[in-house]
Amino acid sequence: MAAPTISPAGRPAAHSHPFAVVDVETSGLAADRDRILSIAVVQVGADGAVGERWTTLLDPGCDPGPVHIHGLTRELLAGSPTFADVVDELASRLAGRVMVAHNASFDWRFLTAEAVRAGRELPTERRMCSCVLARRLDLPVPDFRLATIADFWAVPFERQHDALADAMVVAEVLPRMLALAGEQDLELPITAGDRTPTPQPARAPRARCAFVNPGQLAEAGLIQGMRIAFTGETDTPRDRLEQLAIDAGLAVATSVSRRTSVLVTNHVGSGSGKAKAAVAHGVPVIDEATFLRLAADVAAGSPRDVPAPALVRAPALVPTPAPVAASAPTGEPAPVTQPASAAPVAPTAASTSSAASAAPTVGRVPAARGGGGPAARRPFAVRRVLVLGGPHAEAAALRERVISAGGLAAVNLTASVTDVVCLPGGEADRRMARIQTLGLPVTTADTFLRLLDDLLATGRQAPAQPGTGAPKSLVRGAVVDLPVATAGARWTVAATWAWDSTVEIDLVAFLVGVNELVGDDDDFVFFNQPHTDDGAASLSVDGPSEQAITLDLMTLPSSVHRVVIAAALGDGRTFGDIGPVNVAARTPDGQPWLHATLDAATTERTMVLAEVYRRNGMWRFRAVGQGHDHGLVDLARGYGVDATD
C-alpha cells in the first residue's frame, strides 16, 4: 500500500505536530495510589523521524508490585531518582509536542498523578493514543495490543514491559500509522487536556463498605453501613478517625449528601462545604467526642454482599448466536438470536539520552504479516455499510436493516467500509470525494435494499468464517451472554461517534442493585469520578470521539446486579445533532466481540446505551439505545445518585 511522505505541507494541520512517545512501568493499575517505576520518552518529529530518546528508573518509595511482569525489583530501583528529581527534565522533553502512548489514558493518569504529588504540571494538554489511532485506521488485526500492531508491520518487539523498548516500538510504528492516516485523509484522535478527568490526589485505597446503609443516625446509635463524613480540625488525627470508622463497619464518605448518615465536626458553624451540605440535606451533626463514644458500640448491620454464584460457562469466544431461553422473567428478556458475524529485561538504572541513528522509511507503509484481503471480498455477514444523508428516521431504519441482515453499520469512513448508501443530501457529504477515490460502491437505498433482499432470498449470503475475529452485530434490545468464564472478567464497553462532531459527550456508568438504584454515590462513574474505589469500574477518555467504561466483573460486589452505561450531552445539544453512536464490547485482550449502532434518538439529551447484568450465574450484555429528553442530573437522580446541577 503506497503512502505519502509525511511532511507538514502535505497533510492536514492535525498531522503536523511533533510527538513525544511515552511509556511508564508502574507498581499497579491505580494512578491515585500506585507509583511510576520507570519512564521513557522518545521524540518523533513532524516528518516521522525518530529523534532523541531518554529513560530513567525511579525510586517509588513503595513496593514495586508485579515484578514478574516488569522485572523491576527493590534492589534494582534502590538509589534511583524520585519523580520530583526528574520532573523538570521530563517536562522539557514533552514541551511543545503531542504526547503519544499506547493506551495513553493510563500513562497520562500516572504522569499527572505523580506531577500533582510533586507540586508541578506537565505539558501534556494534547495527547494521542496509538491504540485508538490503530482502531481508526481499521487495521486488519485480531486485537490492538502493542505486540500485535508491531507484528502487523514486522517491527521487532523483544522486550515487552520495558519502558524504553515499549516506547521505541510505538515510535517505530507511529510514522507508518501517520502515513496511512494521511492516505485515508483521517483526522488524528488528539485529545485536549480539558476533556479528560483529572486524577484525584493520592490516597490510600478504601474498600467498599460491606454493609447496607441503614439511613441517618437516630437514637439507636451507629449501625454498620452508616455513611460518616468528617470536616474541620479534630483532636484525633483524621486518618485514625476514618480507620476507626472503617474497622467498625461504617462507610467513610468524602462528601455530604442526602445519603450521609452523620457529619462529625467540632465546629458546627464553620461554614465548610460539608457543613453547609449537612444543613441543606438535614443530615445530623455530632462532635468528635460523641462519635468516639458511639463508635465503641456499633450495632450489627445488614450485609451488602452475599457470596456470588460460580460463573456458568458461556458460549465460546468465537462469536455465535446466543441461545434463546425458554422463558424470561419480566424485565429480563431472553437473549436475542443474532446473525453471527465473523481472536522482561530491566532497563539500565542510569538515565540515557541519544539520537536515533537513522529515521525510518515513511514513503510507503510496509506490508503487514498475515494481512487480510480486500474488504470487497469479505462475506456480507461482515460487510460494513456507511449511510450518508437522508432524513434521520430513514437513515436509522436503513442501518437497522443492515444490522438485522448480519452486516455492520459504519459510523465513520474507515478502511473496512465495503458499501456506501447515499440518501438524499448524501452527495454533498464531505467524505464523498474520498469514497470516490477509494472506488467504493455507492448505491441508492432502493438499489441497496433490492440487492440485499436478493442475497437473502437466493441464499447467497456467505456465513461468517469462524476465527476471523469479526464481532457480533446487535440490534437494539438484543441480549447476548458474555463468555467471562472462558475469555476473562475484565471487559470494556466503548462508545464512538462521528469524528468530526464538535458536541461534547460524557460516558457514565451506574452500578445498581436489584432495586435499580445505586448503593451509594460511589457507584456512579463519570467525568469527575472516573473510577470506583475498588477499581471494579473505570472511565477512560481515549480520544475526542471515543470513551470507554472498563468493568472487572469478578471485582464487582454481588450487590451490584446491573451496570448501566449511558451517554449525556451538554450545551442543550441532542443526539439528533451527532448521528449514530457505535457501542462495542471488547474482551480482556482487547478483541472487539460485539458492536451495536444506536441512532434512534433525535431530541434526546441522554441515552442509555447498554447494560451489563447478572442472570442465572452469567453476565449478559444488552444493547439498549433508550433516549431521554432530560439531562445527566435528572438521569443520575433516577438511579438514586445525589446529583446537583
Side-chain angles (χ1 to χ4, degrees), residues 216-347:
Q216 291 187 351
L217 177 68
E219 293 182 1
L222 292 174
I223 303 173
Q224 288 177 323
M226 283 185 169
R227 290 174 58 84
I228 315 298
F230 298 90
T231 188
E233 295 183 359
T234 55
D235 296 330
T236 307
R238 176 73 65 82
D239 57 349
R240 288 181 58 188
L241 288 174
E242 291 183 350
Q243 192 59 52
L244 174 64
I246 293 171
D247 291 343
L250 304 171
V252 176
T254 57
S255 61
V256 173
S257 70
R258 62 185 175 88
R259 293 181 179 274
T260 304
S261 303
V262 63
L263 174 67
V264 179
T265 179
N266 289 330
H267 308 280
V268 177
S270 65
S272 69
K274 292 179 182 178
K276 292 179 179 178
V279 173
H281 294 293
V283 173
V285 178
I286 60 176
D287 60 19
E288 178 185 356
T290 302
F291 169 74
L292 291 173
R293 176 175 56 80
L294 295 176
D297 186 22
V298 177
S302 301
R304 173 197 289 263
D305 295 342
V306 296
L311 289 173
V312 176
R313 180 174 291 270
L317 188 56
V318 175
T320 56
V324 178
S327 61
T330 302
E332 299 290 351
V336 176
T337 301
Q338 288 286 334
S341 300
V345 177

Side-chain angles (χ1 to χ4, degrees), residues 135 492-495 507 538-542 546-550 586:
R135 283 199 291 267
T492 298
V493 179
L507 197 66
S538 61
L539 166 69
S540 63
V541 178
D542 300 318
E546 179 171 343
Q547 298 179 29
I549 297 289
T550 297
R586 302 184 193 129

Side-chain angles (χ1 to χ4, degrees), residues 581-605:
V581 177
N582 180 267
V583 178
R586 302 184 193 129
T587 63
D589 64 2
Q591 179 181 2
W593 198 72
L594 62 82
H595 284 277
T597 301
L598 307 172
D599 62 350
T602 52
T603 63
E604 293 85 344
R605 296 165 54 203

Side-chain angles (χ1 to χ4, degrees), residues 133-145:
L133 178 57
R135 283 199 291 267
R136 280 202 177 187
L137 292 170
D138 223 352
L139 300 181
V141 291
D143 59 65
F144 293 95
R145 290 176 295 180

Side-chain angles (χ1 to χ4, degrees), residues 56 131 135 272 279 296 301 343 368 375 404 435 467 579 619 631:
T56 183
C131 182
R135 283 199 291 267
S272 69
V279 173
S404 298
I435 289 168
W619 282 100

Side-chain angles (χ1 to χ4, degrees), residues 382-460:
V382 290
R383 295 184 77 83
R384 189 182 295 266
V385 181
L386 178 64
V387 179
L388 301 181
H392 181 274
E394 185 178 350
L398 185 56
R399 277 187 281 263
E400 187 155 345
R401 180 75 173 84
V402 169
I403 296 170
S404 298
L408 296 172
V411 173
N412 294 292
L413 178 59
T414 66
S416 67
V417 169
T418 59
D419 304 87
V420 177
V421 180
C422 186
L423 300 178
E427 64 278 358
D429 192 289
R430 68 177 186 83
R431 293 169 289 185
M432 189 58 75
R434 181 62 186 159
I435 289 168
Q436 293 172 345
T437 300
L438 293 173
L440 290 173
V442 181
T443 63
T444 64
D446 290 341
T447 301
F448 179 78
L449 290 174
R450 281 198 303 269
L451 292 172
L452 177 57
D453 290 339
D454 180 58
L455 284 173
L456 297 177
T458 59
R460 288 189 283 128

